[in-house]
Amino acid sequence: QVQLVESGGGLVQAGGSLRLSCAVSGITFSATAMAWYRQAPGKQRELVAVIGFSSTTNYADSVKGRFTISRDNAKNTVYLQMNSLKPEDTAVYYCNRIPLITWGQGTQVTVSS
């Protein structure tokens, strides 16, 4: 059974940092590209960052230079280090495989100004 469990969200002031984690089970993690998405209130879910199975990365322009995606294949976990957070980063953050599978519950990130 495929399972994605996100954690690490919270409330932070603008300029602060958070590190999100996503524990993955039920797939061959080391051979799978993974991604982080986010959905702000009233907006569509958007792609934030991607990491390939060889650890190549790509980022949305809005987070480039501030966010870093990484993976630990030994722990079947993908991370999102978020620095210099802005109020517009406020959203529920989700991880998923590429191609998409079932969504997890997400983790709420709230950035206060």
Side-chain angles (χ1 to χ4, degrees), residues 6-88:
E6 300 94 342
S7 62
L11 173 63
V12 64
Q13 288 188 331
S17 298
L18 284 173
R19 188 194 195 205
L20 307 184
S21 300
C22 174
V24 182
S25 58
I27 62 173
T28 305
F29 181 79
S30 60
T32 301
M34 296 293 300
W36 283 96
Y37 297 79
R38 67 186 181 187
Q39 188 167 20
K43 295 188 177 181
Q44 287 190 332
R45 196 168 299 184
E46 64 173 349
L47 179 64
V48 173
V50 177
I51 185 164
F53 59 84
S54 60
S55 294
T56 55
T57 58
N58 277 291
Y59 299 91
D61 287 344
S62 58
V63 307
K64 205 169 291 184
R66 301 188 297 121
F67 290 10
T68 302
I69 188 171
S70 61
R71 64 190 301 155
D72 185 336
N73 289 339
K75 295 182 178 179
N76 281 14
T77 300
V78 60
Y79 303 98
L80 186 67
Q81 177 67 44
M82 306 186 296
N83 299 328
S84 302
L85 283 161
K86 304 175 180 180
E88 52 263 44

